[in-house]
Amino acid sequence: MAAIAVAGTMVASALPALASTAPADAGLVAAAEPSVSLNPQLPQECGLNLAMVFDMSNSMSDSDVKTVKTASTQAVAALQGTGTTMGVYSFGTFAKQELAPTSVASSQGTAAVTGSINGIIRPGSSNEMLGGTNWQQALAGVPVNAYDGVIFFTDGLPTFFGSTPLKNGDSQTSGNGGTGQSDDTNVTSSLNAAIPEANRLKDAGTRMIGVGVKGADAARLAKISGPEAGSDFFTTNYDELAKILKDIATAGCTGTLNINKAVEAFDSSVTTPGEGWTFDATPSNAAASVVTTGANGQAGMALDFQAKEPVTVTIKERQQPGYTVVQNGGYNAVCTRDGAPLAVTNTGDAGNVGFEVTAVAGTVTSCTVTNKVPVMAWTMAKTSDATGTVGPGDTINYTVEARNTGERTVDGITFRDDLAGVLVAASFVAGSAKLTVAAGAPSDVTDPLANVLTAGPFSLAKGETAILSYQTLVNDDAYGATLTNSVSGTGTVPPAECAVEKPCTTTDIVTPKPTETAKPTPTPTASAAPSATPTQSATATETATESTSPAATTEAASAPASTTAAAVVNEDLAQTGATATMPLLLGGLLMAGGVTLLLLRRVRRTH
């Protein structure tokens, strides 16, 4: 692909290398007029690949451009629901691709093509030289073997040729092809440079259809298409343009019924073509037939309009497991006739998958049936048997579980378990990782690499479960450590939990190291000091107390005064006098078997 870069508002896109070589000197006339290749016919079928090439040169007024765009989009609308694809190109002094081939089988595709046509920007007046007419570069930008036909819109006056028709700055006319002027010599040179590019397409099987507006010269259009007016080329006024374009684009589709299958994503309203869907179609005037959609989601059937009467067709799709019809306004299909909405009637059959529509001769009838994809979903969970607390030397058993909770098989499921936050205080038990998918036997999983354990990919059908299990051994000195890991999963769709953006985690805490308790020091037991025990209890008084017994009085009176000791006490009773005399006296009295009255007195000891 050769990139063509220009200044101004119309920047050329990448284009294929030119098939012919333009003269190096702009002052030289292009080579003598080349021969014109035969123009191949369009395939006789509904659903062609077409390219629309739009002239945006200065000689096309804003009003002219608007009219061409309107007529073109009407033709595109008439093809909605058919198997047609359309590419969009534009050109002035330079050319570019506006839109790659896009199917109009769906409303989204039709909108894309229509939007591209309406969005084409003219070079503008900032640099008039950018608004020349370069047929050669316009045709060189259309690839071979990509289209059945090219519809080439132009006012019919080529004025530049070659890949670099202007000098540096894009403001001078003496580049390598053309002057931008409308004199016969320059126009002839520009036309002769374009003919080989048209031949390149025709020789590869692409039909060239020239559409000249504003009094375009028929002879020039014939040189890039073919000699037959009204077939190879058309010269028309704007009042007829829309009908001519529609007739060209829909030539193979009139008298047909086109069925388009759109498959809507389970989690959005975005649709894609549905390949391999089967429909039973029964016309009111013919036997039933079976049609199956192709890769573009489209299938067609010819209808018999010999009697020129409308034909009502009953259509029922063969529903695929898990899919459901997406109704529009309560109807099972959206149908159009030449791009305009067409009424349908639901058949009310079992499963509510049928409808009826009426087709008319000379028109394009297309119906789109949309089905919702069955839900594709799965969940993940991560657990450990430590229940949050673990001790040094313990073994932790981890489990990762995946479960298909949808209606369709999920492919490419892979677990990624990050153990960096665990293996700082534990070790992986080698060979412990096992993966069990559905009812299969456990299979070995490679030990972690760079602290990451990976298992998969594998598939899970509806309702199936897969389990990854493994073990780690807590280090003996891991007191108080926090063991945290995270796991995530990927697949055809991400899991509802444990997605890459938000992994699932488990956290286990190792018990802290026990605190050592000091052994208590034995405390010696203190011996109690002996207390003096009086031999005789008595009531202390300040004076001697006489006994009430007459015998006691007689004995006391006869005892010598020197043998009587006064007792001295401090709250308690205490002995006073000679320490040797008191025991001797008491002993003698006891031995005598008598009763002696002890004279006691209370004495406060002074401190």
Side-chain angles (χ1 to χ4, degrees), residues 8 171 204 266 299 308 333 403 423 450 567 603:
S171 60
F266 74 90
K308 303 299 181 182
R403 182 181 298 275
L423 299 183
V603 178

Side-chain angles (χ1 to χ4, degrees), residues 514-603:
T515 302
E516 293 186 5
T517 304
K519 295 182 179 180
T521 302
T523 303
T525 304
S527 300
S531 58
T533 303
T535 304
Q536 181 76 26
S537 295
T539 300
T541 62
E542 295 293 336
T543 60
T545 304
E546 293 182 355
S547 172
T548 56
S549 170
T553 302
T554 303
E555 292 292 331
S558 61
S562 60
T563 60
T564 303
V568 180
V569 297
N570 180 19
E571 298 298 329
D572 297 323
L573 297 178
Q575 298 178 19
T576 62
T579 56
T581 305
M582 190 66 175
L584 180 61
L585 174 61
L586 292 176
L589 292 175
L590 290 174
M591 291 178 61
V595 177
T596 303
L597 174 64
L598 297 178
L599 297 180
L600 304 173
R601 65 185 178 92
R602 186 182 301 269
V603 178

Side-chain angles (χ1 to χ4, degrees), residues 42-413:
L42 286 173
Q44 296 301 301
E45 61 186 38
C46 183
L48 302 177
N49 299 319
L50 301 174
M52 287 187 170
V53 183
F54 293 89
D55 186 344
M56 294 285 120
S57 63
N58 291 334
S59 55
M60 295 281 289
S61 70
D62 290 342
S63 177
D64 296 335
V65 170
K66 181 178 180 181
T67 301
V68 171
K69 287 182 177 182
T70 299
S72 301
T73 55
Q74 289 177 0
V76 173
L79 291 168
Q80 179 175 323
T82 70
T84 304
T85 64
M86 306 194 82
V88 181
Y89 302 80
S90 67
F91 69 96
T93 303
F94 300 95
K96 70 173 182 176
Q97 182 185 68
E98 301 282 353
L99 182 71
T102 301
S103 172
V104 297
S106 68
S107 58
Q108 292 96 329
T110 303
V113 175
T114 299
S116 177
I117 293 172
N118 288 330
I120 295 174
I121 299 174
R122 303 185 65 219
S125 59
S126 61
N127 188 335
E128 292 294 332
M129 300 311 300
L130 295 178
T133 308
N134 191 334
W135 282 12
Q136 183 195 35
Q137 193 173 126
L139 293 171
V142 180
V144 295
N145 301 318
Y147 298 101
D148 298 311
V150 174
I151 303 174
F152 192 83
F153 299 95
T154 182
D155 62 3
L157 196 67
T159 58
F160 284 105
F161 58 90
S163 59
T164 54
L166 303 179
K167 279 189 173 181
N168 292 338
D170 298 331
S171 60
Q172 301 180 53
T173 61
S174 55
N176 71 349
T179 65
Q181 303 304 311
S182 59
D183 58 89
D184 288 342
T185 299
N186 182 56
V187 170
T188 299
S189 297
S190 300
L191 175 60
N192 289 346
I195 292 172
E197 294 300 333
N199 289 343
R200 176 180 63 91
L201 294 171
K202 290 187 290 184
D203 293 345
T206 299
R207 182 171 179 80
M208 284 293 306
I209 303 171
V211 179
V213 294
K214 295 186 67 176
D217 185 272
R220 296 191 192 103
L221 291 175
K223 296 293 178 66
I224 61 170
S225 57
E228 189 175 345
S231 176
D232 294 314
F233 67 89
F234 299 81
T235 54
T236 180
N237 57 46
Y238 288 130
D239 293 337
E240 299 173 339
L241 182 58
K243 182 179 184 304
I244 288 175
L245 288 180
K246 176 190 167 187
D247 289 345
I248 293 172
T250 63
C253 294
T254 57
T256 64
L257 173 65
N258 304 282
I259 302 173
N260 179 51
K261 165 56 63 177
V263 177
E264 186 176 280
F266 74 90
D267 55 355
S268 72
S269 59
V270 176
T271 62
T272 54
E275 180 181 6
W277 285 76
T278 302
F279 293 84
D280 297 297
T282 307
S284 56
N285 62 352
S289 61
V290 177
V291 296
T292 302
T293 58
N296 61 354
Q298 198 271 337
M301 61 179 296
L303 299 177
D304 182 4
F305 289 105
Q306 290 184 0
K308 303 299 181 182
E309 295 293 329
V311 176
T312 298
V313 185
T314 301
I315 302 169
K316 295 182 182 180
E317 74 171 2
R318 299 182 184 180
Q319 190 63 274
Q320 295 186 12
Y323 286 79
T324 55
V325 173
V326 178
Q327 292 188 332
N328 185 287
Y331 297 101
N332 293 337
V334 175
C335 297
T336 60
R337 178 184 294 154
D338 287 351
L342 182 61
V344 299
T345 303
N346 293 345
T347 57
D349 54 281
N352 195 26
V353 294
F355 63 96
E356 291 182 350
V357 64
T358 299
V360 176
T363 63
V364 179
T365 303
S366 299
C367 294
T368 298
V369 180
T370 303
N371 286 76
K372 191 75 172 178
V373 171
V375 173
M376 181 184 292
W378 62 293
T379 61
M380 278 182 63
K382 175 67 182 292
T383 59
S384 78
D385 67 351
T387 64
T389 303
V390 66
D394 286 353
T395 297
I396 304 176
N397 294 284
Y398 288 99
T399 301
V400 181
E401 180 182 84
R403 182 181 298 275
N404 187 328
T405 58
E407 298 293 325
R408 301 165 59 201
T409 296
V410 180
D411 298 318
I413 295 177

